[in-house]
mmCIF file of all heavy atoms in Angstrom:
data_model
loop_
_atom_site.group_PDB
_atom_site.id
_atom_site.type_symbol
_atom_site.label_atom_id
_atom_site.label_comp_id
_atom_site.label_asym_id
_atom_site.label_seq_id
_atom_site.Cartn_x
_atom_site.Cartn_y
_atom_site.Cartn_z
ATOM 1 N N GLU A 641 -31.114 24.625 14.525
ATOM 2 C CA GLU A 641 -32.268 24.910 13.655
ATOM 3 C C GLU A 641 -33.485 25.429 14.400
ATOM 4 O O GLU A 641 -34.213 26.315 13.919
ATOM 5 C CB GLU A 641 -32.629 23.590 12.878
ATOM 6 C CG GLU A 641 -33.679 23.812 11.793
ATOM 7 C CD GLU A 641 -33.781 22.505 10.923
ATOM 8 O OE1 GLU A 641 -33.029 21.583 11.230
ATOM 9 O OE2 GLU A 641 -34.674 22.491 10.065
ATOM 10 N N VAL A 642 -33.666 24.964 15.665
ATOM 11 C CA VAL A 642 -34.671 25.499 16.443
ATOM 12 C C VAL A 642 -34.487 26.933 16.727
ATOM 13 O O VAL A 642 -35.447 27.742 16.715
ATOM 14 C CB VAL A 642 -34.855 24.743 17.805
ATOM 15 C CG1 VAL A 642 -35.766 25.407 18.749
ATOM 16 C CG2 VAL A 642 -35.347 23.290 17.466
ATOM 17 N N GLN A 643 -33.250 27.316 17.071
ATOM 18 C CA GLN A 643 -32.930 28.695 17.328
ATOM 19 C C GLN A 643 -33.093 29.607 16.082
ATOM 20 O O GLN A 643 -33.626 30.609 16.180
ATOM 21 C CB GLN A 643 -31.483 28.801 17.766
ATOM 22 C CG GLN A 643 -31.174 28.168 19.077
ATOM 23 C CD GLN A 643 -29.697 28.100 19.435
ATOM 24 O OE1 GLN A 643 -28.839 28.489 18.693
ATOM 25 N NE2 GLN A 643 -29.394 27.660 20.627
ATOM 26 N N ARG A 644 -32.687 29.075 14.923
ATOM 27 C CA ARG A 644 -32.910 29.832 13.690
ATOM 28 C C ARG A 644 -34.402 29.950 13.367
ATOM 29 O O ARG A 644 -34.900 30.990 12.890
ATOM 30 C CB ARG A 644 -32.210 29.136 12.548
ATOM 31 C CG ARG A 644 -32.248 29.896 11.255
ATOM 32 C CD ARG A 644 -31.407 29.166 10.166
ATOM 33 N NE ARG A 644 -29.990 29.165 10.510
ATOM 34 C CZ ARG A 644 -29.202 30.192 10.227
ATOM 35 N NH1 ARG A 644 -29.680 31.333 9.700
ATOM 36 N NH2 ARG A 644 -27.916 30.102 10.550
ATOM 37 N N ALA A 645 -35.186 28.917 13.634
ATOM 38 C CA ALA A 645 -36.613 28.957 13.421
ATOM 39 C C ALA A 645 -37.307 30.020 14.302
ATOM 40 O O ALA A 645 -38.208 30.709 13.914
ATOM 41 C CB ALA A 645 -37.226 27.568 13.599
ATOM 42 N N GLN A 646 -36.864 30.110 15.560
ATOM 43 C CA GLN A 646 -37.336 31.102 16.537
ATOM 44 C C GLN A 646 -37.078 32.502 15.994
ATOM 45 O O GLN A 646 -37.877 33.395 16.099
ATOM 46 C CB GLN A 646 -36.790 30.927 17.921
ATOM 47 C CG GLN A 646 -37.251 29.653 18.617
ATOM 48 C CD GLN A 646 -36.518 29.333 19.940
ATOM 49 O OE1 GLN A 646 -35.467 29.966 20.199
ATOM 50 N NE2 GLN A 646 -37.061 28.494 20.692
ATOM 51 N N ALA A 647 -35.786 32.653 15.565
ATOM 52 C CA ALA A 647 -35.464 34.013 14.974
ATOM 53 C C ALA A 647 -36.345 34.326 13.708
ATOM 54 O O ALA A 647 -36.758 35.485 13.581
ATOM 55 C CB ALA A 647 -33.935 34.086 14.563
ATOM 56 N N ARG A 648 -36.663 33.314 12.973
ATOM 57 C CA ARG A 648 -37.427 33.505 11.772
ATOM 58 C C ARG A 648 -38.847 33.900 12.135
ATOM 59 O O ARG A 648 -39.485 34.789 11.574
ATOM 60 C CB ARG A 648 -37.413 32.266 10.896
ATOM 61 C CG ARG A 648 -37.928 32.423 9.534
ATOM 62 C CD ARG A 648 -37.812 31.164 8.682
ATOM 63 N NE ARG A 648 -36.368 30.831 8.515
ATOM 64 C CZ ARG A 648 -35.792 29.745 8.971
ATOM 65 N NH1 ARG A 648 -36.561 28.871 9.732
ATOM 66 N NH2 ARG A 648 -34.595 29.480 8.821
ATOM 67 N N ARG A 649 -39.427 33.215 13.173
ATOM 68 C CA ARG A 649 -40.733 33.586 13.613
ATOM 69 C C ARG A 649 -40.741 35.004 14.233
ATOM 70 O O ARG A 649 -41.781 35.682 14.082
ATOM 71 C CB ARG A 649 -41.225 32.583 14.691
ATOM 72 C CG ARG A 649 -41.599 31.198 14.133
ATOM 73 C CD ARG A 649 -42.379 30.384 15.119
ATOM 74 N NE ARG A 649 -41.542 30.073 16.260
ATOM 75 C CZ ARG A 649 -40.828 28.887 16.294
ATOM 76 N NH1 ARG A 649 -40.770 28.074 15.323
ATOM 77 N NH2 ARG A 649 -40.107 28.653 17.402
ATOM 78 N N SER A 650 -39.693 35.335 14.892
ATOM 79 C CA SER A 650 -39.602 36.715 15.380
ATOM 80 C C SER A 650 -39.698 37.767 14.302
ATOM 81 O O SER A 650 -40.376 38.835 14.414
ATOM 82 C CB SER A 650 -38.333 36.919 16.229
ATOM 83 O OG SER A 650 -38.189 38.215 16.691
ATOM 84 N N ARG A 651 -39.041 37.479 13.172
ATOM 85 C CA ARG A 651 -39.090 38.398 12.049
ATOM 86 C C ARG A 651 -40.452 38.405 11.459
ATOM 87 O O ARG A 651 -40.984 39.496 10.963
ATOM 88 C CB ARG A 651 -38.099 37.996 10.941
ATOM 89 C CG ARG A 651 -36.607 38.076 11.376
ATOM 90 C CD ARG A 651 -35.699 38.108 10.205
ATOM 91 N NE ARG A 651 -35.831 36.886 9.398
ATOM 92 C CZ ARG A 651 -35.060 35.792 9.607
ATOM 93 N NH1 ARG A 651 -34.230 35.760 10.559
ATOM 94 N NH2 ARG A 651 -35.233 34.734 8.914
ATOM 95 N N GLU A 652 -41.148 37.294 11.394
ATOM 96 C CA GLU A 652 -42.501 37.206 10.850
ATOM 97 C C GLU A 652 -43.393 38.020 11.738
ATOM 98 O O GLU A 652 -44.298 38.718 11.246
ATOM 99 C CB GLU A 652 -42.975 35.766 10.830
ATOM 100 C CG GLU A 652 -42.314 34.933 9.771
ATOM 101 C CD GLU A 652 -42.732 33.476 9.805
ATOM 102 O OE1 GLU A 652 -43.468 33.132 10.719
ATOM 103 O OE2 GLU A 652 -42.263 32.745 8.909
ATOM 104 N N ARG A 653 -43.233 37.967 13.110
ATOM 105 C CA ARG A 653 -44.069 38.794 14.014
ATOM 106 C C ARG A 653 -43.848 40.297 13.803
ATOM 107 O O ARG A 653 -44.711 41.129 13.983
ATOM 108 C CB ARG A 653 -43.874 38.401 15.454
ATOM 109 C CG ARG A 653 -44.415 37.082 15.881
ATOM 110 C CD ARG A 653 -44.391 36.885 17.339
ATOM 111 N NE ARG A 653 -43.006 36.816 17.859
ATOM 112 C CZ ARG A 653 -42.336 35.769 18.052
ATOM 113 N NH1 ARG A 653 -42.880 34.570 17.740
ATOM 114 N NH2 ARG A 653 -41.185 35.737 18.555
ATOM 115 N N SER A 654 -42.602 40.628 13.410
ATOM 116 C CA SER A 654 -42.326 42.057 13.119
ATOM 117 C C SER A 654 -42.874 42.515 11.768
ATOM 118 O O SER A 654 -42.759 43.655 11.481
ATOM 119 C CB SER A 654 -40.840 42.290 13.192
ATOM 120 O OG SER A 654 -40.150 41.650 12.120
ATOM 121 N N ALA A 655 -43.446 41.531 10.988
ATOM 122 C CA ALA A 655 -44.085 41.802 9.738
ATOM 123 C C ALA A 655 -43.116 42.405 8.701
ATOM 124 O O ALA A 655 -43.507 43.056 7.800
ATOM 125 C CB ALA A 655 -45.214 42.865 9.873
ATOM 126 N N LEU A 656 -41.836 41.992 8.848
ATOM 127 C CA LEU A 656 -40.930 42.440 7.838
ATOM 128 C C LEU A 656 -40.676 41.354 6.729
ATOM 129 O O LEU A 656 -40.390 40.216 7.143
ATOM 130 C CB LEU A 656 -39.492 42.709 8.478
ATOM 131 C CG LEU A 656 -39.395 43.919 9.354
ATOM 132 C CD1 LEU A 656 -38.007 44.113 9.860
ATOM 133 C CD2 LEU A 656 -39.826 45.218 8.626
ATOM 134 N N PRO A 657 -40.883 41.618 5.454
ATOM 135 C CA PRO A 657 -40.716 40.583 4.445
ATOM 136 C C PRO A 657 -39.202 40.285 4.358
ATOM 137 O O PRO A 657 -38.390 41.099 4.576
ATOM 138 C CB PRO A 657 -41.314 41.345 3.209
ATOM 139 C CG PRO A 657 -41.143 42.795 3.494
ATOM 140 C CD PRO A 657 -41.412 42.910 4.956
ATOM 141 N N VAL A 658 -38.977 39.023 4.021
ATOM 142 C CA VAL A 658 -37.626 38.500 3.896
ATOM 143 C C VAL A 658 -37.348 38.304 2.373
ATOM 144 O O VAL A 658 -38.081 37.627 1.670
ATOM 145 C CB VAL A 658 -37.470 37.199 4.673
ATOM 146 C CG1 VAL A 658 -36.040 36.586 4.417
ATOM 147 C CG2 VAL A 658 -37.708 37.396 6.167
ATOM 148 N N VAL A 659 -36.306 38.898 1.963
ATOM 149 C CA VAL A 659 -35.800 38.770 0.538
ATOM 150 C C VAL A 659 -34.412 38.003 0.580
ATOM 151 O O VAL A 659 -33.530 38.456 1.248
ATOM 152 C CB VAL A 659 -35.703 40.123 -0.142
ATOM 153 C CG1 VAL A 659 -35.134 39.929 -1.589
ATOM 154 C CG2 VAL A 659 -37.059 40.858 -0.091
ATOM 155 N N ALA A 660 -34.364 36.871 -0.097
ATOM 156 C CA ALA A 660 -33.114 36.097 -0.063
ATOM 157 C C ALA A 660 -32.409 36.162 -1.379
ATOM 158 O O ALA A 660 -33.002 36.121 -2.445
ATOM 159 C CB ALA A 660 -33.495 34.635 0.246
ATOM 160 N N LEU A 661 -31.081 36.383 -1.290
ATOM 161 C CA LEU A 661 -30.176 36.338 -2.435
ATOM 162 C C LEU A 661 -29.828 34.907 -2.749
ATOM 163 O O LEU A 661 -29.248 34.149 -1.945
ATOM 164 C CB LEU A 661 -28.929 37.179 -2.250
ATOM 165 C CG LEU A 661 -29.099 38.696 -2.128
ATOM 166 C CD1 LEU A 661 -27.854 39.298 -1.700
ATOM 167 C CD2 LEU A 661 -29.437 39.218 -3.553
ATOM 168 N N VAL A 662 -30.043 34.438 -3.965
ATOM 169 C CA VAL A 662 -29.691 33.134 -4.408
ATOM 170 C C VAL A 662 -28.991 33.236 -5.747
ATOM 171 O O VAL A 662 -29.073 34.235 -6.435
ATOM 172 C CB VAL A 662 -30.842 32.146 -4.507
ATOM 173 C CG1 VAL A 662 -31.560 31.984 -3.135
ATOM 174 C CG2 VAL A 662 -31.891 32.633 -5.530
ATOM 175 N N GLY A 663 -28.346 32.194 -6.175
ATOM 176 C CA GLY A 663 -27.665 32.259 -7.526
ATOM 177 C C GLY A 663 -26.448 31.290 -7.548
ATOM 178 O O GLY A 663 -26.088 30.729 -6.570
ATOM 179 N N TYR A 664 -25.944 31.186 -8.764
ATOM 180 C CA TYR A 664 -24.820 30.304 -8.994
ATOM 181 C C TYR A 664 -23.529 30.965 -8.219
ATOM 182 O O TYR A 664 -23.489 32.185 -8.148
ATOM 183 C CB TYR A 664 -24.460 30.237 -10.483
ATOM 184 C CG TYR A 664 -23.775 28.980 -10.884
ATOM 185 C CD1 TYR A 664 -24.539 27.861 -11.088
ATOM 186 C CD2 TYR A 664 -22.461 28.952 -11.106
ATOM 187 C CE1 TYR A 664 -23.912 26.639 -11.508
ATOM 188 C CE2 TYR A 664 -21.835 27.747 -11.536
ATOM 189 C CZ TYR A 664 -22.634 26.631 -11.665
ATOM 190 O OH TYR A 664 -21.988 25.418 -12.117
ATOM 191 N N THR A 665 -22.676 30.101 -7.692
ATOM 192 C CA THR A 665 -21.500 30.628 -7.035
ATOM 193 C C THR A 665 -20.696 31.613 -7.891
ATOM 194 O O THR A 665 -20.564 31.361 -9.111
ATOM 195 C CB THR A 665 -20.668 29.423 -6.430
ATOM 196 O OG1 THR A 665 -19.633 29.959 -5.719
ATOM 197 C CG2 THR A 665 -20.218 28.584 -7.597
ATOM 198 N N ASN A 666 -20.194 32.560 -7.244
ATOM 199 C CA ASN A 666 -19.388 33.588 -7.885
ATOM 200 C C ASN A 666 -20.141 34.438 -8.839
ATOM 201 O O ASN A 666 -19.648 35.027 -9.794
ATOM 202 C CB ASN A 666 -18.191 32.994 -8.764
ATOM 203 C CG ASN A 666 -17.004 33.950 -8.850
ATOM 204 O OD1 ASN A 666 -16.816 34.803 -7.989
ATOM 205 N ND2 ASN A 666 -16.251 33.683 -9.882
#
Side-chain angles (χ1 to χ4, degrees):
E641 189 170 355
V642 169
Q643 295 172 354
R644 187 175 291 277
Q646 290 174 344
R648 194 176 295 116
R649 286 194 295 270
S650 177
R651 293 197 302 270
E652 291 174 353
R653 287 194 295 270
S654 66
L656 291 182
V658 177
V659 179
L661 290 169
V662 298
Y664 209 80
T665 181
N666 207 28

